């Protein structure tokens, strides 16, 4: 496993639409392992492939650091409710903004064995799924935020970054 460089806002690659994954190769598995390592190292709860410079529809998420999820070619098939709260992003370091997201989502995707699965999420997991799927379309959370980016207040509890 290896750490990958996280692309930051201003890098064109974050604004491109990602391509569907047709098959999981050894290279894909290495990418997924590297994405998890990079996410944990940077204290994130989610990471999308374009954030490490790869334009493929692959996302990793682990909101409690006990439930690693791999989402390949993910699509949200159900959403309900609403939650409004602060959100951050490893590609926009040191910033947060308020974003309104569905409270509950169901996501259909493939796992690392290309088996079709459904992932149901509430609260932070639903937020992370929405945030990471936006990355696959070249959308950053600041585009959909309710207000401007603010500096993270480091004297308070650390924010989750996705
Ligand atoms: Zn992000």
């Amino acid at each position: 496993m290896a750490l990958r460089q996280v692309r930051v806002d201003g890098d064109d690659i974050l604004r491109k639409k990602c391509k569907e994954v047709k098959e999981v190769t050894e290279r894909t598995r290495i990418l997924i392992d590297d994405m998890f390592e990079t996410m944990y190292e940077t204290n994130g709860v989610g990471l999308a492939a374009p954030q490490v410079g790869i334009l493929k529809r692959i996302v990793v998420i682990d909101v409690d650091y006990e439930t690693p999820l791999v989402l390949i070619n993910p699509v949200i098939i159900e959403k309900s409710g609403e939650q409004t709260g602060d959100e951050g992003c490893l590609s926009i370091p040191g910033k947060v903004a308020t974003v309104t997201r569905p409270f509950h989502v169901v996501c259909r995707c493939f796992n690392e064995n290309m088996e079709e699965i459904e992932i149901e999420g509430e609260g932070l997991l639903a937020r992370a799924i929405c945030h990471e799927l936006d990355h696959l379309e070249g959308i950053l959370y600041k585009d959909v935020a309710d207000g401007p980016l603010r500096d993270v207040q480091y004297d308070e509890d650390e924010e989750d970054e996705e």
Side-chain angles (χ1 to χ4, degrees), residues 18-25 28 55-58 72-74 110-115:
C18 295
K19 294 200 177 96
E20 294 242 322
V21 176
K22 305 274 189 226
E23 60 171 342
V24 171
T25 63
T28 319
L55 289 172
K56 289 189 174 164
R57 304 185 82 79
I58 302 173
I72 296 175
N73 300 340
F110 295 88
N111 65 15
E112 64 275 27
N113 300 314
M114 281 309 256
E115 296 157 342

Side-chain angles (χ1 to χ4, degrees), residues 34-46:
D34 288 354
M35 285 172 66
F36 273 116
E37 190 180 353
T38 303
M39 179 186 81
Y40 291 132
E41 179 68 25
T42 49
N43 303 312
V45 298

Side-chain angles (χ1 to χ4, degrees), residues 46 51 88-91 131-132 135 140-141 162:
Q51 292 183 276
C89 179
L90 296 174
S91 294
H131 177 113
E132 300 309 332
H135 274 298
L140 297 176
Y141 79 94
E162 288 155 27

Side-chain angles (χ1 to χ4, degrees), residues 4-84:
R4 304 242 180 164
Q5 190 198 339
V6 176
R7 305 300 183 96
V8 296
D9 189 17
D11 190 322
D12 286 348
I13 208 152
L14 293 173
R15 293 311 196 167
K16 298 199 166 134
K17 204 174 145 108
C18 295
K19 294 200 177 96
E20 294 242 322
V21 176
K22 305 274 189 226
E23 60 171 342
V24 171
T25 63
E26 189 54 31
R27 269 183 78 156
T28 319
R29 289 179 192 281
I30 291 168
L31 170 65
I32 290 167
D33 285 349
D34 288 354
M35 285 172 66
F36 273 116
E37 190 180 353
T38 303
M39 179 186 81
Y40 291 132
E41 179 68 25
T42 49
N43 303 312
V45 298
L47 191 69
Q51 292 183 276
V52 293
I54 307 288
L55 289 172
K56 289 189 174 164
R57 304 185 82 79
I58 302 173
V59 160
V60 299
I61 291 175
D62 190 348
V63 294
D64 58 7
Y65 279 32
E66 285 181 358
T67 320
L69 298 170
V70 177
L71 293 73
I72 296 175
N73 300 340
V75 178
I76 291 173
I77 55 170
E78 263 182 63
K79 50 185 168 185
S80 60
E82 203 175 88
Q83 57 177 325
T84 297

